[in-house]
Amino acid sequence: MAMGPLPSRAGRGRRAPMAEINVTPLVDVMLVLLIIFMVTAPLLVTGVPVNLPDSRAGALEPDRKPIQISLDNEGRVFVDDQEVMEAELPTILESKRPPQGGDEPQVFLRADRGLDYGRVMRVMGELNRAGLNKVSLVTTGAEQAG
């Protein structure tokens, strides 16, 4: 039984198919996407542009999403980034009030430093009349003031 030469793949000049997947390009692409999203995420924060006053008070840590009321430098009123007429404000605040015995929501009041005190107090009076008494006045921190 004479056997001839065994067929060999190495002699044909072809490589055997690789059964492994190279994940290095996938990891590279994912890291680039992660960096892009980390850089652009802070830029996506929207809101009403308000020039806040300075304060040395510490920041509050809310346990749930507060109601945000903003007054810009022209005196326009915004509730959660939606502009409302001052005449509609009592109705909107009544709808935000919790049911009887419910936990009162936190209200963040942001007012431009150029507004007169009476304008801000009218909004605070409407908040009080609606039963929303957990009001925090938003300011810039002391380290940002300089």
Side-chain angles (χ1 to χ4, degrees), residues 34-134:
L34 177 67
I35 291 170
I36 289 171
F37 286 126
M38 287 173 56
V39 169
T40 58
L43 302 176
L44 298 177
V45 176
T46 60
V48 179
V50 174
N51 187 12
L52 296 172
D54 306 327
S55 173
R56 293 176 52 128
L60 296 175
E61 295 296 328
D63 53 349
R64 61 181 181 178
K65 187 174 186 292
I67 301 168
Q68 294 196 25
I69 298 178
S70 304
L71 285 90
D72 67 359
N73 59 350
E74 298 173 10
R76 295 180 298 184
V77 179
F78 296 83
V79 176
D80 291 331
D81 296 335
Q82 296 293 323
E83 184 175 1
V84 297
M85 301 303 294
E86 193 169 349
E88 299 171 344
L89 189 61
T91 308
I92 292 171
L93 294 178
E94 283 289 330
S95 68
K96 302 269 185 190
R97 192 167 74 180
Q100 191 69 13
D103 192 23
E104 187 176 338
Q106 180 73 38
V107 178
F108 286 175
L109 180 58
R110 303 169 61 225
D112 193 276
R113 73 172 72 205
L115 287 177
D116 68 340
Y117 186 66
R119 182 98 170 131
V120 178
M121 292 313 326
R122 279 197 301 270
V123 173
M124 288 188 72
E126 292 298 333
L127 286 166
N128 191 341
R129 197 173 82 178
L132 300 170
N133 296 317
K134 290 175 72 175

Side-chain angles (χ1 to χ4, degrees), residues 18-30:
M18 192 155 64
E20 300 170 5
I21 297 175
N22 189 1
V23 295
T24 304
L26 175 69
V27 171
D28 290 344
V29 169
M30 288 300 146

